[in-house]
Amino acid sequence: MRYAETGYNLEIDLATGNIERVETDPKLMALHLGGLGTSVKLHWDRVPPEVKAFDPENLLVFSTGLLNATPAFSANRSVVTFISPQSDTLAYPMMGGFFAAELKYAGYDKVVFRNKSPGWIYLYINNDKVEIRDASHLQGKGAVETQELIRKELNQSKLQIAAIGLAGENRVFTASIEQSRSSASRLGGGAVMGDKKIKAIAVRGTKDVYLARPEDFMEQLKGVTEYIQHRWANPIQDVMTILSGIGSPQEMKHTDEKWHTENFVWGNARTRRRDFWTDEIDESWSKSQHAAVKRLISCFNCPTHCGALISHKNTPRYMAKCFGKLTYAMAAYVDDLDFSWKILQRATEYGVDSFSTPQILAFAVELYEAGILTDKDFAGCPSDKEGRFLWLLDRVVRREGIGDILADGVYFAARKIGNGAEAFDHNTIKKHEQLPVKLGTLDPLYFLMYSTNEKISITQMEGQWPQSAFPTMEQRENFVRDWPQLPDDKFKKYVLDWDIRGEKAIPYYPTPDIASEIVDWMETMHNIDDACGMCCGMSSFCFKPPYHIHNYPKIISAATGMDLDEEGLKKIANRSRNLHRAYNNRKGIRRVDEKPPADHWKKRFPELEEELLSTYYAFKGWNHDGIPTREKLEELDLGYVADDLEKRGILHNGHN
């Protein structure tokens, strides 16, 4: 019997219509756990680095995590893996909701799509019944609309459905995959799904998932429950409101957005409005949010309420979470939050990433204002800010006129437009739009996270470490007093020593050595979460979370029957991390690519940045170019990876 996992993947050949239920190797759990870990291994084995995003050989994999469908609170993330049309690397956006649990209850750990369908289809899974069904009647329908139409068509109200909208159908590079109140958004999974002509995946499952030691598992969860209750009663002091509790940032619950609106950047990451949050804005935005949010909602088996049911005036109802509330209004320089609810509904139905897409629209506006795009490009566009953004969104999603160029994202659009447009591409890294943040002085931690992580996005990569030094020693001492999640108590001293000004302030503190330790810890926790299907808001992307390196091994061991300790779990996470790194090295990623946007910080320190990279690479066991050495790979039982890298000339003599 297999524990925690089902032991089976669904393999779908879209070209032939062949459907296979494939038993997986049980040894993979011990090596990579599940979720992202086993998906990276699958891509390494089956997708050569020469494969591009829209090649038939590009696999599209929907994966559950190891703890999905168990009683573990907040283990509800689905991981979608594919070669990205934007970055040409192995991408892995995640979505919450109920899809992963439903897929595992149906008896499958992953759905693996290969090749392309000759016509539009959707996949219907009902336990052992799996059908490829015609979706020609769903072409052109919205992502949310598609979900409801399929439920009615199959007379199954409890189906969990992941679908694309018009953006995915038209292979817009920022197309998302929408599911319930969540989406897999970053790096273009919706475009790959559309390229394969998959409109949706509908799942219903009623089977059991087994735990190896259920009594022990539930005993471990008692500690998690008690801690969650403790944190509810004792929010963290001296941090921004949305980070004081647990769960993903509570954007739909809290209305105080002073920190984000004055520190995040407006337009195409151009301007900080340091005095934006007035009493009038506070009152106006709070009133708008309270009117629009009809009910706070959760993902599968989660005690927090990070999302909301939105019903704003004449706008159709939809479900939303997180920063989409802010990104469109801030990109458009619209000070009325009502605009956000309106455009976010349309964007959700279209199926687009609400981090990247607003920046693309703002990029177009800035090119127009600079005279690089002309009246001809904007023919028929309304002159007001709101109307202009809605018009541009329609053009991009439909790939009409200038929208056809913009649909490939800022990096590619700037180079195709030319005539100085490249100068307006100032917020991409590895061809991907970043979070719109422009700050004063280089931050060593964020420099490493932006530069080196395979997610190519700071979103969901930061987390357990404070975002800046506390101004007083009293605040620092208060923060470190109750911090059992630390992997080592020495991290407390790093917080106590960290100052606002002086020699122990940014950019020189945390030092490169300390910064490497901190980033590696956060990265390790993210990799464990992504293998387990855990919402990072309950672990890696949360101050003092309920899941951490000390209780995770016990929880995973009780679920699976493995006998994991902390070092063993760290090794698994490190193994999967290095395999992913090596895969993207095969795709061409090198040290030269690992630089945040040039104006990300007003003051840059080139020598320090090079020292940070070199120190971090050495800490990870990578060579000067950011490639894992043979010694590191063999330490992680990845000798076959070193062999491949040497054969391809990426590694020489196991090192340089």
Side-chain angles (χ1 to χ4, degrees):
M1 180 179 290
R2 304 284 279 271
Y3 296 110
E5 62 179 0
T6 71
Y8 291 93
N9 292 344
L10 261 184
E11 292 266 353
I12 312 295
D13 188 329
L14 294 164
T16 65
N18 188 55
I19 299 171
E20 293 181 88
R21 181 173 179 261
V22 178
E23 187 172 6
T24 58
D25 185 349
K27 295 178 182 177
L28 287 173
M29 181 196 289
L31 290 170
H32 300 284
L33 295 183
L36 177 63
T38 46
S39 286
V40 170
K41 171 62 172 168
L42 189 154
H43 282 272
W44 176 276
D45 289 343
R46 295 174 54 180
V47 185
E50 298 77 20
V51 171
K52 301 296 184 182
F54 298 140
D55 289 344
E57 297 83 4
N58 187 14
L59 296 183
L60 178 65
V61 181
F62 287 75
S63 181
T64 69
L66 187 62
L67 295 178
N68 289 152
T70 74
F73 294 129
S74 309
N76 48 48
R77 260 37 187 179
S78 307
V79 183
V80 186
T81 47
F82 51 90
I83 302 301
S84 165
Q86 269 195 308
S87 65
D88 192 39
T89 60
L90 180 57
Y92 62 108
M94 289 169 285
M95 58 187 180
F98 294 74
F99 186 88
E102 201 74 27
L103 181 59
K104 192 175 277 190
Y105 288 142
Y108 311 101
D109 296 315
K110 301 182 193 292
V111 180
V112 182
F113 292 101
R114 63 180 184 270
N115 295 323
K116 300 185 183 186
S117 172
W120 284 100
I121 61 97
Y122 72 87
L123 186 70
Y124 172 44
I125 305 168
N126 190 340
N127 294 326
D128 295 333
K129 179 182 179 181
V130 183
E131 298 177 350
I132 296 176
R133 297 176 64 95
D134 176 67
S136 57
H137 60 299
L138 299 173
Q139 188 176 0
K141 303 296 185 184
V144 179
E145 180 184 15
T146 293
Q147 296 174 50
E148 292 307 311
L149 288 171
I150 290 175
R151 289 189 181 98
K152 290 179 181 178
E153 181 176 310
L154 297 173
N155 194 27
Q156 289 267 10
S157 62
K158 294 183 179 181
L159 282 172
Q160 297 304 317
I161 303 171
I164 59 171
L166 203 56
E169 291 184 22
N170 291 328
R171 302 197 311 183
V172 174
F173 282 15
T174 60
S176 58
I177 302 167
E178 300 292 327
Q179 188 268 316
S180 182
R181 43 61 60 87
S182 299
S183 63
S185 296
R186 304 296 260 162
L187 290 164
V192 174
M193 192 166 164
D195 180 64
K196 294 183 179 296
K197 285 190 162 53
I198 308 165
K199 183 64 177 176
I201 307 164
V203 185
R204 178 72 177 125
T206 57
K207 296 183 180 182
D208 293 326
V209 173
Y210 298 97
L211 299 174
R213 300 193 294 270
E215 295 87 356
D216 184 14
F217 188 87
M218 297 309 295
E219 185 63 30
Q220 294 299 328
L221 282 191
K222 283 184 181 179
V224 173
T225 304
E226 290 170 359
Y227 184 79
I228 291 171
Q229 292 171 340
H230 166 74
R231 280 295 309 281
W232 280 342
N234 299 275
I236 294 176
Q237 299 177 17
D238 302 316
V239 301
M240 69 183 78
T241 305
I242 63 167
L243 295 181
S244 62
I246 55 173
S248 295
Q250 309 289 295
E251 291 290 328
M252 297 300 163
K253 177 181 178 181
H254 299 297
T255 60
D256 180 359
E257 292 292 357
K258 177 178 175 62
W259 192 89
H260 283 124
T261 56
E262 295 188 348
N263 286 281
F264 282 23
V265 190
W266 294 61
N268 176 31
R270 281 286 173 188
T271 307
R272 289 178 73 183
R273 300 174 68 181
R274 302 302 296 269
D275 56 353
F276 172 76
W277 196 258
T278 63
D279 290 341
E280 291 76 18
I281 288 291
D282 189 357
E283 181 180 358
S284 169
W285 282 36
S286 297
K287 182 178 179 181
S288 175
Q289 183 165 328
H290 289 313
V293 173
K294 301 307 175 187
R295 179 164 57 90
L296 295 174
I297 54 179
S298 303
C299 294
F300 174 82
N301 196 27
C302 184
T304 65
H305 302 88
C306 301
L309 176 65
I310 305 297
S311 180
H312 175 68
K313 298 181 179 178
N314 296 324
T315 302
R317 288 193 171 203
Y318 63 102
M319 290 181 279
K321 64 164 287 186
C322 210
F323 293 107
K325 179 184 87 174
L326 301 178
T327 52
Y328 285 97
M330 291 179 66
Y333 288 93
V334 173
D335 295 354
D336 185 353
L337 191 61
D338 282 4
F339 170 67
S340 287
W341 310 121
K342 180 179 180 180
I343 194 170
L344 187 57
Q345 186 275 331
R346 188 179 300 190
T348 302
E349 200 68 90
Y350 279 150
V352 287
D353 172 11
S354 287
F355 277 111
S356 289
T357 308
Q359 290 188 61
I360 295 169
L361 307 184
F363 165 75
V365 171
E366 289 167 8
L367 293 187
Y368 181 57
E369 292 174 344
I372 297 172
L373 293 180
T374 66
D375 289 339
K376 182 179 178 181
D377 297 310
F378 274 64
C381 179
S383 59
D384 66 291
K385 294 177 181 178
E386 295 188 16
R388 189 167 57 184
F389 248 55
L390 289 163
W391 183 87
L392 280 168
L393 177 61
D394 292 344
R395 300 288 85 71
V396 168
V397 165
R398 298 177 184 277
R399 282 191 175 270
E400 294 176 352
I402 189 62
D404 189 34
I405 296 174
L406 297 171
D408 289 348
V410 170
Y411 177 89
F412 292 106
R415 282 143 188 83
K416 191 167 185 178
I417 293 168
N419 195 29
E422 296 91 340
F424 291 81
D425 168 25
H426 67 111
N427 201 45
T428 62
I429 180 172
K430 300 171 186 173
K431 306 179 179 66
H432 180 45
E433 296 82 11
Q434 288 299 299
L435 197 69
V437 178
K438 303 292 182 187
L439 300 174
T441 301
L442 174 82
D443 183 317
L445 299 177
Y446 282 81
F447 172 82
L448 288 176
M449 287 188 286
Y450 269 105
S451 300
T452 64
N453 188 255
E454 308 313 320
K455 197 174 188 70
I456 316 182
S457 172
I458 199 65
T459 54
Q460 297 190 339
M461 191 52 224
E462 58 175 332
Q464 296 194 46
W465 193 257
Q467 295 184 333
S468 62
F470 293 103
T472 71
M473 182 57 71
E474 182 182 2
Q475 289 172 319
R476 295 173 214 166
E477 290 173 343
N478 185 52
F479 188 84
V480 305
R481 186 171 293 115
D482 178 24
W483 206 359
Q485 295 85 355
L486 286 174
D488 192 302
D489 273 353
K490 65 182 177 182
F491 286 84
K492 292 182 180 179
K493 187 174 189 306
Y494 300 158
V495 171
L496 294 173
D497 289 345
W498 194 16
D499 211 340
I500 294 293
R501 296 178 182 83
E503 62 180 14
K504 289 199 173 180
I506 62 169
Y508 299 109
Y509 196 90
T511 66
D513 287 328
I514 294 173
S516 296
E517 288 184 286
I518 295 169
V519 171
D520 181 71
W521 162 42
M522 289 195 284
E523 185 179 77
T524 296
M525 294 311 302
H526 276 280
N527 274 272
I528 295 170
D529 287 348
D530 298 346
C532 292
M534 181 62 66
C535 171
C536 64
M538 283 293 206
S539 178
S540 51
F541 190 77
C542 178
F543 293 151
K544 304 183 180 181
Y547 295 98
H548 47 81
I549 195 60
H550 304 307
N551 63 8
Y552 245 145
K554 299 172 185 177
I555 293 168
I556 294 170
S557 295
T560 64
M562 293 192 293
D563 188 17
L564 268 183
D565 58 16
E566 293 179 19
E567 291 307 310
L569 182 55
K570 290 177 185 176
K571 183 175 182 178
I572 293 173
N574 205 12
R575 178 183 297 124
S576 296
R577 168 70 173 105
N578 277 267
L579 182 61
H580 199 161
R581 179 69 176 191
Y583 188 93
N584 284 341
N585 290 146
R586 294 201 309 181
K587 296 292 288 180
I589 293 297
R590 300 290 187 273
R591 184 188 186 106
V592 69
D593 302 299
E594 306 219 289
K595 298 196 181 298
D599 65 344
H600 188 85
W601 292 282
K602 189 174 182 179
K603 294 178 66 177
R604 296 291 288 265
F605 299 80
E607 291 184 4
L608 176 58
E609 292 175 22
E610 292 302 318
E611 183 183 359
L612 281 163
L613 275 183
S614 295
T615 304
Y616 183 70
Y617 285 174
F619 184 90
K620 298 293 287 186
W622 301 346
N623 69 17
H624 179 78
D625 218 11
I627 300 165
T629 63
R630 173 173 282 280
E631 180 182 8
K632 170 55 66 173
L633 292 169
E634 288 184 344
E635 174 190 316
L636 297 170
D637 311 305
L638 295 173
Y640 66 91
V641 174
D643 293 342
D644 184 89
L645 295 180
E646 288 183 352
K647 182 179 178 180
R648 294 176 182 275
I650 296 171
L651 268 182
H652 301 281
N653 300 320
H655 194 265
N656 291 320

